[in-house]
Amino acid sequence: MSSDAPKGTLPALGPAKAGGGAADFLLTRLEEMVSWARKNSLWPFPFATACCGIEFMSVASAHYDISRFGSEVMRFSPRQADLLIVAGTVTDKMAPVLRKIYDQMPEPKWVISMGVCASSGGFYRAYHVTQGIDEIVPVDVYVPGCPPTPEELIYAIMQLQKKIQSGEKSRDQRSAKLAAERIS
Amino acid sequence: MSGVIDVSARIPDRLTFWQRLYLPEIFRGMAVTLRHLVLNVVNPRRMPTIQYPEQKRNYSARFRGKHILKTREDGTLKCVACYMCAQACPAECITIVAGEHPKIAYEKYPVVFDIDMMRCVFCGYCVDACPKDAIWMTRNYEMAFFTREEAVFSIDRLRESKAEIDAHGYGYRPYYPGDGTTPPTDASRLPVVAGSGERDALRQAGVALPNRHVGAGPLNATSQAAKFTA
Amino acid sequence: MTVATEPALSPAAERLRGRLAGTPLAGRCEVADRDLPTIEVSPDAWPSLARFLRDDPECRYDLFVDLFGVDNLRRPGQKSRFETVVHLHALARNEHVRVKIPLPDEKKPALPTASEVYPAADWFEREAFDLYGFDFTGHPNLRRILCHDAFVGHALRKDYAPGQRWFFAEEDMKAPEWATHTDERAGHFETQTISIGPSHPATHGIIHLIARLDGEKIIRAETNIGYLHRCFEKMSETHQWNQIVPYCDRLNYVSAMINGVGFVRTAEKMLGIEVPDRGRLVRTILSEFTRIMDHCVCIGANLVDIGALSNFIYLYQNRENIYDLIEACCGARLTVSYVRVGGLAIDVPDDFVPRCRSLLESIPLFLKDVQKLVDNNRIVRQRLQGTGVVTREQAIAWGLTGPMLRASGVPYDVRRARPYDFYDKFDWDVPISNEGDNFARYLVRIEEIRQSLKIIRQALDILPAKGAVSSDDWRVVLPPKDAVYHDMESLIYHFKLVMEGIRVPPGERYEWIEGGNGELGFHAVSDGRGGPYRLRVRPPCFANMQAFQKMVIGGTVSDAVATLGTLNIIAGELDR
């Protein structure tokens, strides 16, 4: 995935650095264990607005059963969630709400943008549709598809798990920098 | 045609004493859910859960997944950069820049053929629109991106590859095996036209050749983007 | 529009003309016969005409269907730049009528409100104000409904650029006056205001409910919508006819197929082309399957809201099984893009009929489980029975359609009232209930699933084994690929169709079908280009949602949640 990525992308993800002394060794192992625990208990906040929300329901129901990945605990309070899944079109009217929810989530937090509407506005190049939620919140994983199949979302969650294991916490600061560059 | 039925009349309005006791109904309900549990344990194949990623759902041959650009026998793209898919696309996610191919039989070729996967809605209209059998879809849905830039697929990632087809298989396409459609003749097999078939050589020899329209299409994503900026 | 020779009027138009002749309205409106009987009226006479149409014993157009604007800026030859179009329905005779109100003042288009005559007109008028800037004088609450409060301009006017966005911040959100101020004289002593949504598990999709509570009782409520306003109508003006089909799928995304069928039927009627029987039957079968999916999600989600999770999982398995069938036909699970103007994208697979039949076997099993769990459960009964009651009169006045209206005792189903495709050939019943509460709506939906299964069974019996699914008019339908590859003439048709789109003759037409939630209508105006000049969708959810803020008064918040579930609000259709 990252090998043929064009320039402008973020640096490739690697495992957490191995430390020097005994204390470092212990702490690194601990860090890895924390990452491992984090990636296997992602509690999602389903920000389901539209069609993708219906496919998200599929992911949660019997056929796909997201609990196999430790993510079945849907939290409708942002303060208890650490994965924001934005499933569906976000309009300009909804944008402040999304930002508020994101701000209310405790660190570490991750964002999956499910479907093309959330990722870029999709085929709604229109007067009331946010052209990608990365205008509002930083996004960790984008999932294409309109709507993505449930497998595609699970695949994205697996990618995110890899990323969490590598030790990256959130994209917030780096995204803010990218966004600032884009505006100027 | 038939009548009208009153659904509320069929069901007693008030619950019986036993039903109002609540507990018997709870046990009846438990029996329903427990039956499912026991049947699933006894016969695991009855369970609907698909153990993705180890096990994959069997999607049909019409599944609309990632696009591929078909190739001729000599490995060049079948696409002649006619912009029809770009025009048919409701999301305007296809960007084509055309170039003149040195071989006459190949007419034009796409210098740039980008599909923005972050805009594409996988409706299959590009496949329907293609008159040259050049764009198909696969059953590949395993895509996730860390940035928006890497979601723009260029020719390298769209070109048909055997590995991808072996792993996922063809999806939505203009015709299916057994429906009686004869695919268009592969241009690499066409007889060489008038002399060498090389455009430049013919031009130098004084043969009048039509100038093809090259460059960006009439309605591609870049010109659309200019129209739709916020 | 000039008509050279006046054809004979239809009985409905004749009756209207006769009834109007003796009234003071006679000189101020004219009756014509288009696809529907059409009355043209000046703005000042509109409220009295509305009153006449509702109350006259021989007219009795009691159900308010739709109100929207049209901007004729780029359509020369019309009377005025702006016009308002209203559709009404007479339940007793199953007739539609159209009222056209040309607005003479181009700078400040205004007309009197009809919301006193038809309470259902309230939100429709707000929408016309929002998107066209029509000033409905006398409207009690004329403010934006779909676009956000910081929006400038009126988006559906022809001189508004489709991509022009406006920044909206949290500070710009406006709450109604009564919610922010406590007025003790108005009985607000010891009351509080709560805000539910727009992101809340009980608000399926995204709506925003502001309620003032007195203890536990809701004494005043207001719903804000528009959080999923994706500009369907503006987008359809910038696309070709066939390109709109994917957009239609995303209107009511829970039953995507039905929307597409509704839309292409309008285009087909305007073109005057016929779809082969096999194509129409496949459309019918898949539409009924999607109706089942729609009801499954509605019932399942509603029961989850009131605390019963297993039903959702059982009902969702039905959905997944139907997805299998739909994906085998068209290649996508949810957003099908399967219909095209003139037929279907591709013929159904060979094993279509056996697959349908096996679904017909499996769906009732899950239904039986759900009914065992729910029907006699005391908690469900207490949550659903007697809550969210809508009487017959209220249902008609608020313009409800679909299962909502039928649960209040009005047997209006478009499939029965104005049979399209093959619905008049099938033997099926319209389920109704006279209770009008949430439980009645649950029962009606369950029974509709059974009736849909019955329809599918009969449709499969008469489905021709072979044959075309699309029209062979190549000005409308793409020629077969075999011909495109090897035949120059077919290639030319193919090229013309892709590059220019379908040339639909100029004119306008309203066609309506029974969607998952009620009457789903598409009003298209064509000016002869490859895409519609104006496409209006009549969303059943919009009228149903409008009633919500009135239905919850007097109940508790938990009743409101149960009521919202049985309304089956699909945001994509509500906000478009």
Side-chain angles (χ1 to χ4, degrees), chain C residues 523-561:
Chain C
H523 180 96
V525 181
S526 171
D527 62 349
R529 281 183 316 121
Y533 178 82
R534 165 91 169 98
L535 182 69
R536 160 72 184 177
V537 51
R538 190 270 168 189
C541 276
F542 194 72
N544 293 2
M545 191 66 220
Q546 178 172 212
F548 179 66
Q549 57 194 32
K550 298 163 190 161
M551 286 162 70
V552 295
I553 306 286
T556 61
V557 175
S558 60
D559 290 345
V561 170

Side-chain angles (χ1 to χ4, degrees), chain C residues 93-328:
Chain C
R93 300 189 311 279
N94 284 326
E95 272 173 16
H96 267 51
V97 70
R98 176 182 302 143
V99 181
K100 272 195 164 189
I101 313 156
L103 307 177
D105 191 349
E106 197 174 299
K107 291 273 175 309
K108 280 192 74 176
L111 70 161
T113 174
S115 57
E116 283 160 24
V117 187
Y118 290 105
D122 183 346
W123 275 18
F124 288 97
E125 289 181 350
R126 277 178 66 187
E127 191 194 320
F129 165 74
D130 186 358
L131 301 179
Y132 280 100
F134 295 170
D135 185 12
F136 290 87
T137 46
H139 189 286
N141 186 18
L142 196 64
R143 49 193 190 85
R144 287 190 186 274
I145 184 164
L146 293 181
C147 297
H148 55 73
D149 293 324
F151 205 83
V152 181
H154 301 288
L156 275 185
R157 289 190 177 186
K158 283 286 173 186
D159 46 12
Y160 190 92
Q164 176 65 51
R165 285 170 56 205
W166 300 93
F167 182 69
F168 181 58
E170 203 183 331
E171 307 85 76
D172 300 325
M173 286 183 176
K174 283 183 196 143
E177 176 79 10
W178 58 265
T180 44
H181 295 89
T182 315
D183 184 1
E184 289 184 13
R185 281 165 302 164
H188 287 175
F189 186 61
E190 286 195 354
T191 62
Q192 58 168 337
T193 314
I194 59 159
S195 158
I196 305 174
S199 179
H200 186 274
T203 62
H204 307 203
I206 33 180
I207 57 152
H208 184 196
L209 173 72
I210 304 169
R212 183 168 278 285
L213 303 182
D214 180 4
E216 274 198 84
K217 293 262 180 294
I218 297 175
I219 51 169
R220 188 158 185 184
E222 188 173 306
T223 32
N224 285 340
I225 63 166
Y227 292 97
L228 195 60
H229 179 48
R230 300 192 276 199
C231 330
F232 168 80
E233 287 168 17
K234 193 76 176 179
M235 286 294 97
S236 56
E237 287 170 18
T238 60
H239 284 77
Q240 297 173 358
W241 290 91
N242 261 334
Q243 286 180 332
I244 296 167
V245 172
Y247 285 96
C248 288
D249 288 338
R250 288 153 183 85
L251 282 175
N252 183 346
Y253 37 75
V254 186
S255 51
M257 182 85 185
I258 303 181
N259 304 298
V261 173
F263 165 68
V264 296
R265 276 180 55 80
T266 311
E268 281 158 8
K269 291 277 175 196
M270 294 179 90
L271 285 158
I273 60 164
E274 278 292 312
V275 180
D277 284 0
R278 186 171 150 86
R280 276 155 62 202
L281 276 166
V282 170
R283 281 184 188 179
T284 308
I285 292 166
L286 290 179
S287 294
E288 291 306 319
F289 271 126
T290 44
R291 191 185 313 282
I292 293 172
M293 301 205 308
D294 190 300
H295 289 346
C296 280
V297 167
C298 170
I299 295 167
N302 183 22
L303 290 170
V304 168
D305 286 348
I306 61 172
L309 190 66
S310 350
N311 304 288
F312 175 76
I313 292 181
Y314 297 157
L315 288 168
Y316 220 90
Q317 283 188 35
N318 273 338
R319 241 187 107 91
E320 287 284 347
N321 296 340
I322 301 174
Y323 274 154
D324 264 344
L325 172 77
I326 289 180
E327 192 270 320

Side-chain angles (χ1 to χ4, degrees), chain C residues 418-431:
Chain C
R418 185 173 175 271
Y420 53 95
D421 289 346
F422 290 88
Y423 284 109
D424 49 345
K425 304 226 169 45
F426 302 137
D427 170 40
W428 60 286
D429 299 308
V430 179

